[in-house]
Every structure is written in structure tokens, then in C-alpha cells.
Amino acid sequence: MSTLIYYAIPAFIITVALEALYVRQRANVRGYETKDTFASLTMGVGNVLIAGVVKIGVIALWLFLYEHRIFDLPVSAWWVWLLLFVCEDFCYYWFHRVSHESRFFWAAHVNHHSSTHYNLSTALRQSWTTPFTGIVFWLPLPLLGFHPGMILVQQAISLLYQYWLHVEWLPKLGPFEWIFNTPSHHRVHHGRNVKYLDRNHGGILIVWDRLFGTFEPEAETPDYGLTKNIETFHPVKIAFHEWLAIARDVMRARSLRDALGYVFGPPGWAPGGRGETSAVLRARLARS
């Protein structure tokens, strides 16, 4: 993990405290709840520790791939950094989208959506298992010729940018929203309203969602959380509840095909079309 994240930790703590004080004066936001905030912060600490260890192996893998790179890109050239910004954000979009559309990856990502509150502490509710499941999505970058040190920095920039998106009180930001991800776009992403499910996956840029058909503007007020909330503040349960649910479903699967569907199908999948995936729920809403 880039040292940029470690340097930002004091700023995270200060801004969470300041926002908690600020939203007390606003009647139109849900604000903070002590147990929820503590759970989010605990998840964040766990993620930092786990990701810091896993990143050692990831960087070693990047260095190996970089030795077999396709292009020789100059590290100091401004246009290479600009190109990396676009390519890394593209990788993040697909990582984030697949993390919603395949249950295996969703099991790692779901904890970030498990809070029914939406504030800066929610941004820190990070996965303990995504450091493992997300590795594959950035592997093309060192092969293309981006130095691992550059990738590490750009990932940190993307993560830091996304922190401020987790606020309920900022309004829409006009033309800026045409290209960039904003709190309004990301509020949609965290909404469990049927029309908002699996939408707005972008990191810094929202253009990928517009290009690939996953964009949804904020209209109705989002209802935050999961389609079926887990009703717990226990960090271990938050981190692993979906992995355990997958294991239970696989154990009762009647065929290998059903078992694979439970693991890699979309969240909510069940044999014979009996499940309630986001696509099924959206189709049902369209018919009503």
C-alpha cells in the first residue's frame, strides 16, 4: 500500500470527527451512529493491515510482469502519468463492476455496502478480503509498461479521491458530474433502491458508466444498505458473512452447475431462475 494512505490516516480521523459535528446541525441527513462508525473504523484498520502485507506479494508479481512488459514507458513523462490515470481508472471500473455482478467478488466487497448510514466513516468500511480478490484486475498495467511504483501511487490517488464521495449533504455539482464521479453519483451506488442497484461503479471518472450502460443519475433519495441488511455491527460478521452464506449454499447444491452458480453467478442467483438478482428486481420494477 502506498505511504500516501498512511499519511492520510490523521486527515481521515479529523474529517470524520468534523463531519459528525457538522451533520448534527442538519435535519435532512441521517448522520452518524456510534456502533456503526466503530464498525466502519475497525474494518478500515483491518483492511490497512491486511492490504499492507498482501501488497508485498502483489508488488513482487508486478515487478515480474514489468520485466516482461510490452512497451517501454518513460516514468518521468507527464503523458505517461496521464495515460496511467485513465488506464488505472478503467481497471478500477471493471474491478468494481465485477465485484457487484459476481457473487465471489461481491462476498469480498459487500461489507463496504453493509452500513445503513452514509458518511465519511462509511468510506473507511473497507474489505478484509478484497486485497486478495482484486489482484487480477490491475495485472495488465505492468505488462503494458507502467512501473509498479507508478501504479501504487495512482491506486492511492484513486482511493483518496473516493473518500470525499461518501457524504450525504453535498448537492449535485453541475457540469463536473458529466465526467467525474461525485457524491451524488456515489450516493446512487450505495442506494439499495432497485433502480440504483449495480450502478455508478466508476472510481474517479464516471465516463465508464456512461459508456458501458451502468450510469444512473440521482433522482429519489437513496435508501442506504443492502437489499437484505445483515443487522450486525460485529466486524468479523461484517467481513465474512457472505463467504459463509456461499459455503452454505454450495453445501446444499444439487449439482456442480448449481454450486458454480452460487459461487460465481450474480448475487441473489438461485437455480431455475428462482433467485432475486438485481436484474430480476429491476425487471420486476419495470413491469409494475
Side-chain angles (χ1 to χ4, degrees):
M1 181 174 292
S2 172
T3 53
L4 287 175
I5 301 301
Y6 297 117
Y7 292 146
I9 289 175
F12 292 157
I13 296 171
I14 292 170
T15 50
V16 165
L18 289 175
E19 188 192 34
L21 292 173
Y22 174 68
V23 296
R24 285 183 178 181
Q25 315 302 320
R26 300 178 65 94
N28 61 333
V29 296
R30 187 166 184 182
Y32 284 73
E33 198 270 331
T34 302
K35 290 182 178 180
D36 178 82
T37 301
F38 179 78
S40 294
L41 296 179
T42 303
M43 296 299 299
V45 170
N47 172 267
V48 168
L49 295 175
I50 294 168
V53 175
V54 173
K55 214 67 172 184
I56 297 172
V58 171
I59 293 172
L61 178 56
W62 286 352
L63 288 169
F64 172 78
L65 295 174
Y66 184 70
E67 290 300 315
H68 299 82
R69 60 191 178 274
I70 300 171
F71 305 106
D72 285 312
L73 301 176
V75 175
S76 58
W78 67 267
W79 61 268
V80 176
W81 283 95
L82 181 60
L83 183 61
L84 174 60
F85 164 74
V86 175
C87 290
E88 193 281 330
D89 204 67
F90 183 73
C91 291
Y92 180 86
Y93 169 82
W94 284 106
F95 151 73
H96 201 180
R97 178 171 174 174
V98 171
S99 293
H100 279 257
E101 295 182 349
S102 171
R103 192 182 182 192
F104 176 82
F105 295 94
W106 173 244
H109 183 62
V110 63
N111 62 78
H112 182 62
H113 288 263
S114 61
S115 176
T116 57
H117 294 70
Y118 191 76
N119 51 54
L120 291 176
S121 77
T122 308
L124 305 178
R125 184 178 287 224
Q126 294 294 323
S127 174
W128 294 356
T129 49
T130 292
F132 301 96
T133 61
I135 292 172
V136 65
F137 294 93
W138 283 268
L139 294 183
L141 296 181
L143 275 175
L144 288 173
F146 295 108
H147 190 276
M150 298 176 67
I151 302 170
L152 203 61
V153 170
Q154 187 55 48
Q155 282 186 329
I157 291 171
S158 177
L159 188 62
L160 291 173
Y161 178 90
Q162 292 177 62
Y163 176 66
W164 76 285
L165 302 180
H166 297 79
V167 295
E168 201 173 358
W169 43 270
L170 267 178
K172 294 186 178 183
L173 300 177
F176 186 78
E177 304 213 339
W178 299 346
I179 298 174
F180 294 98
N181 201 2
T182 66
S184 175
H185 295 328
H186 205 60
R187 288 194 291 267
V188 166
H189 180 73
H190 274 259
R192 65 176 193 155
N193 316 52
V194 171
K195 68 181 293 185
Y196 290 165
L197 296 178
D198 299 345
R199 291 294 181 261
N200 299 0
H201 303 294
I204 297 177
L205 302 174
I206 202 66
V207 292
W208 311 120
D209 290 285
R210 296 184 185 277
L211 284 172
F212 297 115
T214 54
F215 176 73
E216 184 71 38
E218 184 179 30
E220 62 192 61
T221 302
D223 178 18
Y224 303 109
L226 305 173
T227 53
K228 296 179 181 178
N229 287 318
I230 57 176
E231 308 296 343
T232 182
F233 299 110
H234 196 296
V236 174
K237 292 180 180 179
I238 294 172
F240 298 109
H241 75 273
E242 187 64 17
W243 292 110
L244 294 175
I246 289 177
R248 287 193 296 268
D249 286 341
V250 169
M251 291 288 288
R252 64 183 176 87
R254 296 183 177 181
S255 67
L256 177 61
R257 181 174 182 175
D258 287 355
L260 292 174
Y262 281 127
V263 176
F264 297 107
W269 180 91
R274 299 191 306 273
E276 292 193 338
T277 65
S278 61
V280 169
L281 294 174
R282 192 174 287 112
R284 188 181 298 165
L285 177 66
R287 293 194 298 267
S288 62

